[in-house]
Amino acid sequence: LQVSKGDFNAAQALIEANLPRRANKIAIIDGAGAHTYGELAARIDACGAALLAEGARPGDRVALCMLDSLDMVACFLGSIKAGLIPAPLNTLLQAGDYAHILADSGARLAVVSSHILDRVGAGAASAGWAGRIIASDPSDPAHCQLSDLARSTGPLAAAPADSAAPAFWLYSSGSTGRPKGVIHRHASLGHTADLFARQVLGLREDDVIYSAAKLFFAYGLGNALTFPLSVGATVVLLPDRPTPEVVWPLLRSHDVTMFFGVPTLYASMLAHPEAASGAPALRLCVSAGEPLPAEIGRRWREHYATEIIDGVGSTEMLHIFVSNRPGAVRHGASGIATPGYELRLVTEDDREAAEGELGELHVRGPSAAAGYWNQPEKSAATFQDGWVRTGDRFRRDEAGHFVYCGRADDMLKVSGIWVSPTEVEAALVEHEAVLEAAVVGVTDQNNLTRVKAYVVPRAGVEGDVLLAEKLKAFAKARLAPYKYPRQIEFVPELPKTATGKVRRHVLREQG
Ligand code: 3SK
């Protein structure tokens, strides 16, 4: 993939390089079947043209709240090709989150999978959003349908763009406040494909890829869209939740060679009865989202003679910038800088950390975001003189590899997805039986993070198993499902500082 200055449209570059030799090669296998590179190119043009015909103008945002599929890829790349700015959204959010994001982004259009229409529709109504919803698959006739709009068969001219101009946004959660729009540039997709997928992983045209992380995550977008298209490989896209019972047979039936997962999934796949048959075509696995426990990496290699390459990425950097290397994995460490990226560990007194000393990881590299949409203060705090502050604390081991040591704030990564403790606490205290709540991450038997809530019941209320189950259900109904506390412990009071701040580290140590 050529990344040039000046006249450069990332979508055009990604797809057109495949057409001369691979028009008849399978690009995507999704719930509806197999689609060639030629068909994908035509669908990108049809979806881009449909969005323009619906009134979107260059620079307008298009929210994509879609399950992984050919059309999700086509709407994402079709928007970019047409000069629009796609913003893929997490499909697991609640109406209130969609209300915030639709209003914040000022999106003109939202393309939405039918099973999410109710939540997005409710969010749009409560925000008084003036945009238009397009249903991405057959739904009730109240919505216009992508299948009716995307019928054009002619080529779509690529909108002229500069490689440094904004191309798409991703929404990222913060420790406080609502998700922020992270603005990414045209050139960044190509940089992640070249620097990580090609130079670190050695991804090839004959690979078949499956990513458990969905396309709306930065991790999934790279794994399942940018990377395969950048080398002309084949990707399997699945609308369902990636559970072991779904993933094992999928890896075998499609002869997947490269699998991208997260530590919780690797742990549950190892523990599943299907693990015995393995997936013989696998040649490399990748993990990110949270640190891969050494034991899981070792057991995977013992069972399958295949390495899991653990790495660290962020939405702000678009993909992985610290990584282990195939053939030289150091279990329990996150690895070293991805080529093209510089790292530094900065201590609390603003020095470079010495070997073994703790510091906040700062990263500099070509795929860094341009900033957060409409958030000048948060942008200034994160993007500083070309460096991006990750908020993650690391130390360097004796071999110079980075070892994760926790967050500088209270954010939790659960199954690779950010969870804000304050958001979960706010949901719990809405329940009439709850006086106060504090949420922390605790580690399970596999050394993976789980959400735990310490709850102080109101006077006269008994904190028992029944109430704990009621509170879990209550939180689940108000939050994205991955955020609800899996453990609840009732306590008479929360440990606090003299100024009344909850001492979360005391609760974390309690476990
Ligand atoms: O969430 C992450 O940790 C991540 C990992 C790889 C690439 C991108 C991201 C956001």
Side-chain angles (χ1 to χ4, degrees):
L1 182 72
Q2 287 279 309
V3 174
S4 55
K5 285 248 177 269
D7 197 12
F8 177 79
N9 182 304
Q12 182 186 30
L14 256 184
I15 192 68
E16 280 189 1
N18 288 298
L19 294 180
R21 283 199 301 118
R22 302 188 195 102
N24 294 319
K25 182 181 175 187
I26 303 297
I28 293 177
I29 300 169
D30 71 0
H35 313 276
T36 64
Y37 271 97
E39 287 161 353
L40 172 61
R43 194 68 187 153
I44 289 170
D45 285 3
C47 288
L51 297 170
L52 290 176
E54 281 304 285
R57 291 289 158 259
D60 279 350
R61 271 75 64 199
V62 179
L64 303 179
C65 200
M66 301 170 72
L67 300 178
D68 283 11
S69 60
L70 170 75
D71 273 354
M72 169 65 180
V73 176
C75 284
F76 180 78
L77 292 177
S79 299
I80 295 177
K81 190 167 178 191
L84 312 173
I85 309 271
L89 305 186
N90 186 333
T91 54
L92 300 170
L93 300 179
Q94 295 287 357
D97 300 303
Y98 293 123
H100 161 73
I101 294 174
L102 291 173
D104 178 71
S105 64
R108 181 178 285 254
L109 300 173
V111 188
V112 184
S113 291
S114 54
H115 84 289
I116 319 164
L117 275 171
D118 285 355
R119 277 178 284 140
V120 178
S126 76
W129 182 61
R132 184 169 161 86
I133 290 181
I134 299 169
S136 70
D137 39 2
S139 67
D140 67 84
H143 297 282
C144 62
Q145 319 268 314
L146 185 65
S147 51
D148 295 333
L149 303 174
R151 289 196 190 281
S152 126
T153 48
L156 171 72
D162 192 277
S163 57
F168 61 98
W169 295 4
L170 293 169
Y171 267 85
S172 161
S173 316
S175 55
T176 53
R178 297 290 204 158
K180 308 179 283 295
V182 181
I183 302 170
H184 279 291
R185 307 170 193 276
H186 277 266
S188 296
L189 294 171
H191 287 307
T192 58
D194 177 39
L195 299 170
F196 181 64
R198 205 178 57 76
Q199 296 193 38
V200 174
L201 302 179
L203 186 70
R204 305 187 305 238
E205 181 177 2
D206 61 351
D207 275 314
V208 179
I209 294 170
Y210 173 66
S211 167
K214 301 290 181 192
L215 289 165
F216 56 76
F217 292 117
Y219 183 41
L221 185 72
N223 307 338
L225 189 157
T226 324
F227 297 174
L229 302 198
S230 72
V231 296
T234 298
V235 62
V236 183
L237 297 176
L238 182 83
D240 320 60
R241 253 188 73 211
T243 56
E245 46 275 36
V246 170
V247 175
W248 275 125
L250 178 149
L251 297 179
R252 287 194 288 269
S253 62
H254 292 289
D255 288 331
V256 169
T257 58
M258 208 175 276
F259 170 52
F260 296 80
V262 294
T264 39
L265 180 59
Y266 284 113
S268 55
M269 285 175 74
L270 277 168
H272 196 270
E274 291 265 3
S277 315
L282 271 185
R283 71 177 184 90
L284 199 61
C285 298
V286 180
S287 180
E290 60 179 321
L292 182 75
E295 186 51 25
I296 293 177
R298 278 197 203 100
R299 279 172 48 209
W300 189 272
R301 190 164 63 181
E302 268 165 37
H303 279 71
Y304 307 117
T306 307
E307 286 177 316
I308 303 180
I309 305 300
D310 188 21
V312 181
S314 73
T315 308
E316 287 77 0
M317 295 306 293
L318 191 56
H319 217 275
I320 289 178
F321 50 86
V322 177
S323 174
N324 275 276
R325 297 293 191 272
V329 166
R330 236 175 128 77
H331 293 294
S334 301
I336 56 173
T338 297
Y341 294 84
E342 289 170 79
L343 305 173
R344 64 181 193 202
L345 274 188
V346 181
T347 61
E348 277 177 1
D349 51 352
D350 222 12
R351 289 179 292 107
E352 282 276 344
E355 183 194 311
E357 199 181 4
L358 225 67
E360 185 192 342
L361 184 64
H362 294 195
V363 52
R364 180 155 73 178
S367 60
Y372 299 123
W373 173 248
N374 242 342
Q375 300 268 4
E377 281 165 22
K378 287 184 180 160
S379 295
T382 300
F383 300 90
Q384 296 181 342
D385 302 325
W387 290 88
V388 179
R389 296 183 61 164
T390 65
D392 285 324
R393 284 187 297 184
F394 282 82
R395 67 177 170 80
R396 233 172 306 204
D397 68 13
E398 59 291 354
H401 287 236
F402 288 80
V403 179
Y404 182 73
C405 297
R407 285 288 297 170
D409 57 24
D410 291 318
M411 288 295 282
L412 309 174
K413 265 274 176 87
V414 182
S415 301
I417 316 179
W418 286 120
V419 175
S420 159
T422 49
E423 187 190 355
V424 183
E425 288 159 9
L428 288 169
V429 296
E430 276 179 41
H431 193 281
E432 59 191 10
V434 175
L435 181 64
E436 281 187 299
V439 166
V440 293
V442 292
T443 43
D444 66 8
Q445 72 281 6
N446 286 318
N447 246 341
L448 295 165
T449 304
R450 301 270 173 222
V451 179
K452 174 167 182 178
Y454 288 88
V455 171
V456 182
R458 283 195 183 279
V461 174
E462 193 177 345
D464 55 14
V465 180
L466 194 64
L467 180 58
E469 290 312 310
K470 276 190 190 157
L471 291 179
K472 286 182 193 174
F474 184 80
K476 211 171 176 177
R478 280 159 182 73
L479 300 165
Y482 56 86
K483 297 178 183 171
Y484 85 90
R486 300 311 198 267
Q487 283 180 45
I488 293 186
E489 184 172 329
F490 294 102
V491 287
E493 59 184 354
L494 296 174
K496 294 200 178 144
T497 63
T499 55
K501 269 192 96 180
V502 176
R503 299 168 71 207
R504 286 179 210 272
H505 70 96
V506 174
L507 297 173
R508 269 194 293 266
E509 280 151 23
Q510 230 165 284

